[in-house]
Amino acid sequence: MPVAQYPSVAPPSITITSSYAGASAEVLQNTVTTIIEQQLSGIDNLLYMMSTSNSSGQSQIQIFFEPGTNPDVAQVQVQNKLQLAVPSLPVIVQQAGVTVTKSTRNYLMFFTLSTPNGSMDEIALGNYIASNVLDPIRRVSGVGEANMFGTENAMRVWMDPQKLYAYNLTSQDVINAISAQNVQVPLGQLGDRPFTKGQQLNITLQGQSTLASPKEFENIILRVNPDGSRVYLRDVARVTLGGLDYSTRARTNGFPSAAVAIKMSPEGNAVATADAIHAKVIQLSKFFPAGVKVDYPLDQSAFVRISIREVIKTLMIAIFLVFCVMYLFLQSMRTTLIPTIVVPVALMGTFIVMKAFGFSINVLTLFGMVLAIGILVDDAIVVVENCERLMRDEGLSPKAAAHKAMEQITGALIGISLVLTAVFIPMAFFGGSVGAIYKQFSLSLIASMLFSIFLALSLTPALCGVILKPINKDEHEKKKGFFGVFNRVFEGGRNKYQLMVERMLKTTGRYLIVYLVVVLAVAILYMRLPTSFLPEEDQGYFITNIQLPVGATQERTLAVLKRVEKYFMSQPEVDKIITVAGFSFNGRGQNSALSFIRLKDWDQRPGDEHKAPAIIRRAFGAFFQIKDAIIFPVNLPPIPELGVSSGFDLELEDQSSLGHNKLMAARDQLVALAAKNPNVVGVRMQGLEDAAQLKINVDEAKASALGVSLADINTALQSNFGSFYVNNFVHGNRVQRVIIMLDAPYRMLPSDIGRIYVRNNENKMVSLSGLVHLQWTYGSPQLQRYNGFPAIEIVGATPPGKSTGDAMKAMEEMIKQLPAGIGFEWTGQSYEEILSGKQAPALFTLSIIVVFLALAALYESWSIPFAVMLVVPLGILGSLLAASLRGMPNDVYFKVGLLAIIGLSTKNAILIVEFAKDLQLQGKGLVEATIEAVHLRLRPILMTSLAFILGVMPLALSTGAGSASQHAIGTGVAGGMFTATFLAIFMVPVFFVAVQRIFMPKDKKR
């Protein structure tokens, strides 16, 4: 079976990426992003979409679909809609291509190539990756996207405007010459059909081909003068085999490198995909140049593997502890062996069902298995204990005892299984990402329970008849040593328990009042328990977002990155670090950077002070001293596909066309309010700040008077200051681009714009200084949209002692203070948390109703199920107390645990009520039957409950990878089962007697 951390819970996403070199964010949004978005309406199962337009010329639209949507169908629909928009896009964008990919939101892994000996620079490494590595990695099954942080080669033509003017040339002349002389010309054949009779020769004609080296490009002829002299490209420009894109630079452990960042496809499996990528890189590494080193600074599959390993270890510990409890009570290896045999058989059957449903082995299904261990042995323990009691008290043979035992407890076993199954069945039908979590957990647990009851009714009594030996009536009392002491203490305790129950049944009204107080306490505790989505985990790595002031150059960014690298490499917990300048989750720009920090294995850094959250807190304090940048170390969300950081995530929207400035003012107001609110910390915009921009206004009237066309002015500006794509050339095994641009010294200042010349209709050179006017303005280097509205993504975290639910409520209250027309929507993990909170009441209500109806059908009575269901608040009380004492929130795992407690708490009540009802039918009075039932059922109740509690304690007390999730589910279940046992054994008799006294006359009439 496939192995994963979680099932596929994130909404499938499709990404549309386009490039418009030289365009500002505003131009890109108006001419590309918005045009594409307008065509995306009407797509099936669309959940939400977000887009970003960057001044680097990159546009990205992410479309998210309802969970369960087929990503292949979604991709086809998006491509069909995109084709409607393509004709309206600028020609340059169409030439560069618009890509549609299906992938998850976050990165699965990074691997980097570097040369510690310096034999290859980052451009050479990037070109090697683009030529020999990237395409094979993209073809690996499970890979959605494979992007390079680095650059492949391009033929760069760096023009000198002074030399162009001296030779009476313009950039348009350079473009025309390259286009004419760097071209592949197909000429045909000599002797091609139809040919003349007797033709003996057939030859392919080889024409002009594209140029291949800087030397050949330097020899491109720009002009031939009347005297025969020539002007070559080398006379006006410098030609180099440089990089296609200089916007990003990667470093691994301080060394220049080129990196491949990989995202999974929505249907991919993290472990299988990572294994396949590692295998492919090993295969490709045989042909790497000498001195090239491969590093994996980020690999999420490592956390998946060790999380699964930790849960499996917990599962084994649970089985051992359950075995010990059974042996303590049963005191016979033969007797203990019978329930133990049931466990692997039931688990094997469960795996068969999971395989049939297409489930993976993941944290959720294994959590279900751990909880199932206690439930699996419960049924078998009830059978074995009853057989042993009948052999001891009535002197029956093993076979006769097994037969009579099944007559007595079959109803109880079926009732327990019905209740537990009924509790979890509604979970399987909820939608959304939370529904996917519930589904795999519930169906694996249901399968275990169904196999358990099947084995309890078939295999277990058969094993009792074969394996057990006859028991003397006083065998337990005659035992010596530890077991003898235990038996005498237990019998004494049982007698005292019986007397206490007798006294309680004389004054049931008093204890019903106590019960009402308990119910009130449960309501108060539940309302006060903070809410969350999933617990924050130490996943073995985290990210650091670096943002310099607007206008900062990449050189300044690299200087800050080196300080970040130095700090992290000095930390004993850090294994590797990769930094990327020019890219971050805020956006692309010279003033942006991102680092991924991989920590050492969990067993090498024990203790909370060495876990990711503690390391992040220390790093935040250290980076606060760096005044040149805002540096935010952040932990990743528990499910990476639902966001890029833990905490909360919302989109602040301009829903009334107020304009960008009003939206930014609302953002500033919200951040200022958040800085004063104790429920949130680190509230910030996930984007780039507005920056100074230079707007070029063309004097069209003057240009027309001088005979200069507007098209020539635009081409001159694009080709001199933007990376202007002319055509292609063949380099090695790849077709790469020819790019022209002004050389660096001639495009550093605003005054350089006036040094560009264009040719008018009289063949005279005209300076742009007289045709354009420069105007300083203020604008955003990145524009965002969410569901078609201009938006700003706001993220933040929670202070110690607060939950994301508290933070989200605080943010909603603060947003109410913003101007009219400013709205918001939760997105990513926060959207799922809201959805989870809305589903929970319906889920609990439905489960309780289904349990009640199942019991009513089993007992053919409305009163008995009512008595059984009254025990549920007692179990919930323990769950709430345990979670509150450990400072845990009401998250998805806690809700799953509460549902389990609803079923498990009724289990003990059923064991008592079933026997009391049967004794009543034999003619005994209500109180007499109840007292005898509690006396007979105390031992199996305590045995099964202790077995279950100890079975989940390894979850509640786990350490290492994935321990936060194990604590979240184990704590609530263990606490709930504790109170559901030790309060219920006293209160269930009270409930049964009180309810029967009210409803018995009606039952008798019926």
Side-chain angles (χ1 to χ4, degrees), residues 679-699:
N679 294 301
V680 294
V681 294
V683 177
R684 62 199 183 278
M685 178 180 73
Q686 190 90 319
L688 301 178
E689 293 284 348
D690 286 358
Q693 297 178 349
L694 194 59
K695 186 176 182 180
I696 301 176
N697 299 305
V698 179
D699 189 336

Side-chain angles (χ1 to χ4, degrees), residues 108 139-145 262-269 273:
L108 169 67
R139 291 192 291 268
V140 170
S141 177
V143 172
E145 287 185 45
I262 298 164
K263 296 181 179 180
M264 276 199 313
S265 63
E267 65 271 26
N269 175 270
T273 302

Side-chain angles (χ1 to χ4, degrees), residues 122 249-257 544 546 548 553-570 577-581 592-595 623 626 628-629 631:
E122 57 252 49
R249 296 181 65 181
R251 295 165 59 86
T252 304
N253 292 341
F255 291 102
S257 62
T544 300
I546 299 116
L548 272 72
T553 63
Q554 193 175 83
E555 184 177 357
R556 289 175 60 187
T557 304
L558 285 171
V560 172
L561 275 183
K562 290 177 181 178
R563 296 176 68 180
V564 172
E565 290 171 346
K566 183 178 179 181
Y567 171 80
F568 280 125
M569 292 308 296
S570 68
I577 176 174
I578 176 175
T579 56
V580 181
S592 300
L594 187 69
S595 67
F623 295 148
I626 299 178
D628 296 339
I631 304 174

Side-chain angles (χ1 to χ4, degrees), residues 484-751:
V485 174
F486 175 81
N487 291 337
R488 287 189 292 274
V489 171
F490 182 83
E491 284 301 321
R494 180 157 64 176
N495 293 331
K496 291 179 182 178
Y497 160 71
Q498 184 174 337
L499 292 173
M500 191 176 298
V501 171
E502 288 180 18
R503 287 197 298 269
M504 291 176 68
L505 294 181
K506 294 176 183 178
T507 55
T508 56
R510 180 189 305 172
Y511 293 100
L512 289 177
I513 294 173
V514 173
Y515 173 74
L516 291 176
V517 173
V518 169
V519 172
L520 182 63
V522 166
I524 294 172
L525 284 171
Y526 187 82
M527 296 297 293
R528 290 186 175 180
L529 194 66
T531 59
S532 182
F533 182 55
L534 288 171
E536 186 177 14
E537 290 281 11
D538 176 356
Q539 300 186 47
Y541 76 101
F542 60 92
I543 63 173
T544 300
N545 210 53
I546 299 116
Q547 196 69 46
L548 272 72
V550 292
T553 63
Q554 193 175 83
E555 184 177 357
R556 289 175 60 187
T557 304
L558 285 171
V560 172
L561 275 183
K562 290 177 181 178
R563 296 176 68 180
V564 172
E565 290 171 346
K566 183 178 179 181
Y567 171 80
F568 280 125
M569 292 308 296
S570 68
Q571 301 304 302
E573 301 93 348
V574 173
D575 182 26
K576 297 180 186 298
I577 176 174
I578 176 175
T579 56
V580 181
F583 171 86
S584 74
F585 290 126
N586 284 354
R588 291 175 176 267
Q590 292 191 47
N591 62 329
S592 300
L594 187 69
S595 67
F596 290 84
I597 297 89
R598 180 173 178 173
L599 304 175
K600 294 176 181 177
D601 286 343
W602 290 261
D603 56 359
Q604 296 182 39
R605 44 186 183 90
D608 290 343
E609 70 276 12
H610 300 299
K611 289 185 177 180
I615 300 169
I616 289 171
R617 286 193 294 271
R618 292 202 306 269
F620 195 93
F623 295 148
F624 190 73
Q625 309 301 320
I626 299 178
K627 303 302 181 182
D628 296 339
I630 299 174
I631 304 174
F632 269 99
V634 292
N635 204 2
L636 274 293
I639 301 179
E641 291 86 351
L642 293 178
V644 296
S645 63
S646 58
F648 58 85
D649 193 349
L650 67 86
E651 297 283 347
L652 196 67
E653 298 173 346
D654 175 8
Q655 297 182 347
S656 300
S657 301
L658 300 178
H660 179 73
N661 291 336
K662 292 288 183 65
L663 182 61
M664 295 299 288
R667 178 215 59 178
D668 293 340
Q669 183 181 348
L670 180 61
V671 172
L673 290 171
K676 302 174 184 177
N677 195 301
N679 294 301
V680 294
V681 294
V683 177
R684 62 199 183 278
M685 178 180 73
Q686 190 90 319
L688 301 178
E689 293 284 348
D690 286 358
Q693 297 178 349
L694 194 59
K695 186 176 182 180
I696 301 176
N697 299 305
V698 179
D699 189 336
E700 295 184 25
K702 189 173 183 180
S704 179
L706 294 175
V708 179
S709 71
L710 188 61
D712 287 343
I713 295 174
N714 290 334
T715 300
L717 290 169
Q718 282 183 303
S719 57
N720 282 283
F721 295 99
S723 291
F724 191 86
Y725 165 48
V726 181
N727 57 12
N728 300 321
F729 77 108
V730 178
H731 180 223
N733 62 349
R734 286 186 67 81
V735 176
Q736 297 179 324
R737 298 186 180 189
V738 180
I739 306 292
I740 70 168
M741 192 179 189
L742 284 182
D743 210 350
Y746 309 110
R747 49 181 170 81
M748 296 291 108
L749 299 172
S751 58

Side-chain angles (χ1 to χ4, degrees), residues 789-857:
F789 292 110
I792 296 174
E793 186 176 7
I794 302 292
V795 298
T798 57
K802 298 292 183 179
S803 71
T804 52
D806 297 329
M808 291 166 69
K809 288 178 183 177
M811 293 300 296
E812 289 179 357
E813 290 300 318
M814 287 184 280
I815 290 172
K816 291 178 182 178
Q817 304 177 42
L818 300 183
I822 299 295
F824 79 100
E825 292 183 69
W826 294 109
T827 189
Q829 181 172 296
S830 298
Y831 173 85
E832 298 299 336
E833 183 171 340
I834 294 291
L835 188 64
S836 167
K838 290 179 178 178
Q839 287 183 343
L843 184 60
F844 292 142
T845 302
L846 185 59
S847 294
I848 290 173
I849 291 173
V850 172
V851 169
F852 183 84
L853 293 176
L855 289 171

